[in-house]
Amino acid sequence: MKWIISAVVLAATAFAGGGAALANAGKEPVSREQYRTLINQCRYAGSETARQNCRAEVRKTYRIGAWNSALNCRTYSSVTVCGKLNLSAHQRACVRDFVQRGLTYNRAEVECYAYLKSN
């Protein structure tokens, strides 16, 4: 009887641990700081729905693990963002305009994302 109980407990423990592993399957590992940045940058999305979608996408795509040097994190004008930014057409036009005026692409992208509301 003790053996059966032990087997059930062991199986339940393995299943619970496996569930966490399955939940993280396919997610890109990032550091806690990078994850926090990804979640925080959603506040710049143009509407509440866009902000919620942004946070859901971060949770679906990333997991806390080790520092990810391949993740493009950058700070301009006191705004830090990481990864690919989902820009509206209006924001993309802003980026093109700033780049044509001599601003670097990364800086233009961050500033248009953070300071120009989606239309």
Side-chain angles (χ1 to χ4, degrees), residues 53-70:
N53 291 341
C54 177
R55 289 187 291 268
E57 185 66 24
V58 169
R59 289 183 189 105
K60 184 176 92 174
T61 306
Y62 301 99
R63 67 177 172 82
I64 295 174
W67 178 264
N68 186 335
S69 59

Side-chain angles (χ1 to χ4, degrees), residues 3-118:
W3 182 84
I4 292 173
I5 293 171
S6 297
V8 169
V9 169
L10 182 61
T13 304
F15 181 74
L22 287 176
N24 285 326
K27 291 185 180 184
E28 191 172 343
V30 296
S31 71
R32 184 173 303 280
E33 179 183 349
Q34 288 172 314
Y35 190 85
R36 191 175 308 120
T37 297
L38 287 159
I39 290 290
N40 287 341
Q41 74 193 32
C42 293
R43 71 176 175 246
Y44 298 111
S47 68
E48 183 55 36
T49 300
R51 288 186 286 279
Q52 289 173 354
N53 291 341
C54 177
R55 289 187 291 268
E57 185 66 24
V58 169
R59 289 183 189 105
K60 184 176 92 174
T61 306
Y62 301 99
R63 67 177 172 82
I64 295 174
W67 178 264
N68 186 335
S69 59
L71 189 64
N72 181 16
C73 294
R74 56 248 187 239
T75 302
Y76 297 101
S77 301
S78 300
V79 175
T80 301
V81 298
C82 290
K84 183 181 180 312
L85 300 177
N86 291 322
L87 302 177
S88 68
H90 190 59
Q91 290 166 328
R92 287 190 302 274
C94 171
V95 171
R96 282 191 301 274
D97 183 49
F98 278 172
V99 168
Q100 287 175 352
R101 294 174 188 228
L103 210 59
T104 65
Y105 179 84
N106 275 344
R107 183 173 190 141
E109 183 183 42
V110 171
E111 292 197 7
C112 291
Y113 179 71
Y115 298 117
L116 185 66
K117 294 298 176 196
S118 300

